[in-house]
Amino acid sequence: MMFKVWFVAVLLTVFATIFCSGNVTPAQQCPGESFEGLQDRIQVTPCGKSRCNLVKNTNVTVNMKFTVVDKTDTMTNEVYAYIGGAPVPFLGVDGTDACQHVKRAASDEYVACPLAPGDYEYTNVFPVLPVYPTLSTKVHWSLKAGKKSLICFEVPAAITAGSKH
Ligand SMILES: *[C@@H]1O[C@H](CO)[C@@H](O)[C@H](O)[C@H]1NC(C)=O
């Protein structure tokens, strides 16, 4: 039994490595920002080469590697989509506490705010709700410490209906 579990875990890891290693998210800099190596820091799964397809009733994983330079007491998600040129916040995600989704990059341990200077990795899974409008848009995602962005990206995205059951 233990062996089976272990074997399945290894298989999953191998598959995850094969399928995710080619996943380059077409992340763009946010207006007025310039994060070094942005494309290597951002991963949205699933995502295509030119845009992310957000299919209703599925989950999307967002992974961001970022660096804290000055001790940060709080960190919040700033997430919105541009609709008709105007930013429309993602309800349920925008403005929420981002600290609970953060691991230390070196040790893979979850940490809590305040964050000391260092390298961190943020992972969040969120559902594409059926109430979202079906459209092409651009999603903006930032981790904010006060007014400052610790990391920020924008990505072209299409919200699609997916298959009906
Ligand atoms: C999405 O994630 C939630 C919470 O982890 C889980 O309960 C749900 O089954 C997932 N949905 C799909 C379609 O994977």
Side-chain angles (χ1 to χ4, degrees), residues 64 66 68 72-80 90 92-102 113 115 122 124 140-152:
M64 295 185 258
F66 66 99
V68 171
T72 298
D73 290 327
T74 61
M75 192 170 69
T76 52
N77 291 297
E78 180 187 78
V79 188
Y80 52 78
F90 264 57
V93 189
D94 184 65
T96 59
D97 177 26
C99 293
Q100 53 189 302
H101 301 282
V102 175
C113 282
L115 297 177
Y122 167 98
N124 199 353
H140 170 107
W141 198 307
S142 173
L143 301 182
K144 305 286 278 193
K147 285 185 180 149
K148 189 174 183 283
S149 291
L150 296 174
I151 186 80
C152 185

Side-chain angles (χ1 to χ4, degrees), residues 1-148:
M1 181 59 193
M2 273 312 286
F3 177 75
K4 264 193 186 161
V5 171
W6 184 82
F7 185 72
V8 168
V10 169
L11 266 188
L12 285 178
T13 307
V14 169
F15 274 93
T17 307
I18 291 170
F19 284 105
C20 296
S21 56
N23 180 346
V24 175
T25 300
Q28 305 162 355
Q29 300 283 357
C30 295
E33 303 279 4
S34 169
F35 290 98
E36 216 183 299
L38 187 73
Q39 294 253 328
D40 298 328
R41 293 175 179 273
I42 307 299
Q43 194 157 55
V44 179
T45 315
C47 194
K49 280 194 173 66
S50 57
R51 68 177 187 185
C52 299
N53 284 313
L54 310 180
V55 181
K56 290 182 185 184
N57 297 307
T58 67
N59 286 336
V60 174
T61 303
V62 174
N63 186 276
M64 295 185 258
K65 299 187 178 76
F66 66 99
T67 303
V68 171
V69 178
D70 302 311
K71 179 172 166 274
T72 298
D73 290 327
T74 61
M75 192 170 69
T76 52
N77 291 297
E78 180 187 78
V79 188
Y80 52 78
Y82 292 97
I83 297 176
V88 176
F90 264 57
L91 295 178
V93 189
D94 184 65
T96 59
D97 177 26
C99 293
Q100 53 189 302
H101 301 282
V102 175
K103 286 177 173 175
R104 203 179 299 283
S107 63
D108 230 25
E109 278 174 290
Y110 277 99
V111 293
C113 282
L115 297 177
D119 292 326
Y120 297 93
E121 188 167 342
Y122 167 98
T123 307
N124 199 353
V125 179
F126 71 95
V128 183
L129 300 177
V131 296
Y132 289 168
T134 301
L135 45 70
S136 288
T137 181
K138 189 189 266 190
V139 173
H140 170 107
W141 198 307
S142 173
L143 301 182
K144 305 286 278 193
K147 285 185 180 149
K148 189 174 183 283

